[in-house]
Amino acid sequence: MGQRSSRRVRSFTDSEQVYDPNPSSSTAEKHPHRPDEKPVVAEGDVLPNSRPKKKKKKKGGNFFKWLSFGGKKKSTKNKSSDQGEMKDQDIDMETSRRSTDDNICCRYAIGSKLGQGGFGAIYEGTRLADGKKVAVKFVKKTKHTECISIPDHPKPLPKEVALTILANKGPAMDIIKLLDWQDQQDFYIMVLERFSDSMDVSCFVESNGGSINEKFARFIMWGATLAADECCRRGVYHGDIKLENLLIDFDKLEVKLIDFGCGDLLTESAYTRFCGTMMYCPPEYRIKGEFHAKPATVWTLGILLFRMLCGHFPDTFDLYRINMNTWYKPGLTEDCCHLICSLLQQKPERRPDLERIVNHTWF
């Protein structure tokens, strides 16, 4: 929900326990990018227009059976569901009470609905002062709505608001910008940047047959990785990086990470509650009931990349071959297959850190 964007880039070292499917491959064409460079999508590239033929699922070893997603899209009960379903009449009732001068809605003209979910709804908006296009997100509060304290704010803030503020500290070209917000009795309201020509990555991929080619996947993966790295550097664990939470701004050719509703403050200790989308859940949580933020984020990026390129989530046999370092997909470069195998290692300690991913030669 909400508005669903790119820059830096070194090869992995042997000490990082990242499998290389072909260690002797030539590196003549591999070169690091400057920090301000980003992968370029050349003019004339044609998006794929047909969905790959579905293959029958292959059976893998029992040891990896727990890794299978079984083709079911399922989310754990999270902040979104805790807040209860937002009905249209809830918004209308709140709108009818917008009469005081200090109400944030008096500063914006609210337009048509952009989307709605269990947590609330988001609308087109226009800032009355200068005509700037925005998105206005209404989130219904319940007894489970959590507030946290962050620097420079004397009172605790709703967690989603606080995390978005922290993620926006400093330059944040790959993260959605929070322009304004207000805490009300029954709702909190967030005003976010909105783009004239944009689409979330899920819609983009589906509109092109369910998968995209490597060049476009590189562009999206670049923005997603930088956004994830920026969040972690600012003490934020996003918790739900997925196709639906990445927005492409076609005017500036940027990818933006949105929706911090499943996030948390970044900690060195393990988390014992997973609040994101189960299809992206790291295997360590399925086995031990706990996970650490950074390795889990790396796993999520691996699932994201696999889904964009293959048109489906990895099944048991895919994950088995990935961990045996024998997975490949015809048409993908060796660097791309190597990156997927690195990100989706079963053991968290075998996954590269975010900085190494940003500097991987595939970009």
Side-chain angles (χ1 to χ4, degrees):
M1 252 314 280
Q3 286 213 50
R4 311 282 204 224
S5 299
S6 53
R7 308 280 167 238
R8 300 188 272 269
V9 199
R10 182 171 58 88
S11 299
F12 298 147
T13 62
D14 293 336
S15 63
E16 293 184 272
Q17 296 180 290
V18 176
Y19 293 133
D20 188 342
N22 188 359
S24 62
S25 59
S26 173
T27 58
E29 295 183 1
K30 301 178 180 178
H31 61 280
H33 294 268
R34 298 196 314 272
D36 60 340
E37 288 182 326
K38 66 178 180 180
V40 177
V41 178
E43 290 188 18
D45 287 332
V46 180
L47 290 171
N49 53 17
S50 61
R51 187 185 298 272
K53 294 183 179 178
K54 293 184 178 179
K55 297 181 180 180
K56 294 182 179 179
K57 291 185 178 180
K58 302 178 182 179
K59 296 181 180 179
N62 290 334
F63 183 72
F64 287 90
K65 189 173 182 179
W66 52 268
L67 279 171
S68 177
F69 295 129
K72 297 179 181 179
K73 296 185 179 181
K74 178 181 178 183
S75 298
T76 59
K77 185 177 182 180
N78 55 32
K79 177 177 181 288
S80 298
S81 59
D82 285 345
Q83 288 170 326
E85 185 178 358
M86 170 77 80
K87 304 294 185 181
D88 287 339
Q89 55 266 36
D90 292 331
I91 291 293
D92 294 338
M93 289 173 63
E94 183 63 21
T95 303
S96 68
R97 292 198 289 262
R98 296 170 189 165
S99 57
T100 58
D101 292 337
D102 63 345
N103 193 310
I104 190 173
C105 295
C106 294
R107 302 195 288 272
Y108 301 89
I110 309 299
S112 59
K113 184 185 293 184
L114 293 171
Q116 181 170 330
F119 58 84
I122 186 162
Y123 292 79
E124 293 180 346
T126 303
R127 190 161 58 193
L128 298 178
D130 57 7
K132 181 179 179 62
K133 303 297 183 182
V134 298
V136 184
K137 182 176 183 178
F138 295 82
V139 183
K140 187 176 182 179
K141 296 197 298 186
T142 73
K143 61 182 180 180
H144 301 296
T145 300
E146 187 177 355
C147 293
I148 60 174
S149 298
I150 60 173
D152 303 323
H153 292 268
K155 296 181 179 180
L157 311 178
K159 183 185 279 189
E160 181 180 3
V161 174
L163 296 178
T164 310
I165 290 174
L166 289 176
N168 274 252
K169 288 287 186 180
M173 297 187 68
D174 312 289
I175 299 170
I176 198 73
K177 287 184 174 61
L178 178 64
L179 305 175
D180 200 358
W181 76 279
Q182 188 174 73
D183 195 3
Q184 298 187 355
Q185 182 177 355
D186 300 318
F187 298 84
Y188 62 83
I189 302 170
M190 303 172 68
V191 179
L192 305 156
E193 63 180 335
R194 178 163 65 94
F195 313 105
S196 58
D197 187 12
S198 63
M199 179 186 294
D200 71 55
V201 172
S202 177
C203 292
F204 177 73
V205 171
E206 290 306 314
S207 68
N208 289 284
S211 65
I212 55 178
N213 65 34
E214 187 173 332
K215 185 169 293 186
F216 286 99
R218 182 186 293 117
F219 161 68
I220 294 169
M221 187 69 176
W222 173 252
T225 304
L226 288 179
D229 186 47
E230 288 169 358
C231 285
C232 289
R233 290 176 184 274
R234 293 163 188 174
V236 174
Y237 168 56
H238 183 276
D240 200 23
I241 298 176
K242 59 182 179 179
L243 297 176
E244 293 82 356
N245 285 340
L246 292 166
L247 186 72
I248 305 174
D249 175 7
F250 292 107
D251 287 338
K252 296 183 179 179
L253 281 182
E254 293 179 342
V255 175
K256 300 277 188 180
L257 177 62
I258 68 166
D259 200 342
F260 287 77
C262 292
D264 209 336
L265 293 173
L266 188 73
T267 65
E268 293 297 326
S269 58
Y271 297 85
T272 57
R273 181 177 178 234
F274 180 78
C275 295
T277 302
M278 189 54 73
M279 303 298 289
Y280 296 79
C281 181
E284 54 268 30
Y285 179 74
R286 296 168 179 265
I287 294 179
K288 300 179 180 179
E290 63 178 33
F291 64 95
H292 287 81
K294 293 181 180 180
T297 299
V298 171
W299 174 272
T300 298
L301 291 171
I303 296 294
L304 178 77
L305 181 57
F306 189 103
R307 172 65 183 83
M308 288 191 295
L309 291 169
C310 300
H312 60 87
F313 290 97
D315 61 21
T316 303
F317 193 68
D318 289 323
L319 292 169
Y320 176 81
R321 290 196 299 158
I322 285 171
N323 277 271
M324 294 297 101
N325 208 41
T326 59
W327 183 89
Y328 73 96
K329 183 177 185 297
L332 297 183
T333 63
E334 181 182 323
D335 269 352
C336 182
C337 294
H338 171 225
L339 179 58
I340 289 175
C341 288
S342 300
L343 302 180
L344 293 180
Q345 286 297 301
Q346 174 204 344
K347 295 183 178 180
E349 61 271 20
R350 287 188 169 180
R351 300 171 205 155
D353 58 36
L354 287 167
E355 182 182 358
R356 296 293 186 181
I357 302 171
V358 170
N359 290 285
H360 192 271
T361 52
W362 184 62
F363 292 114

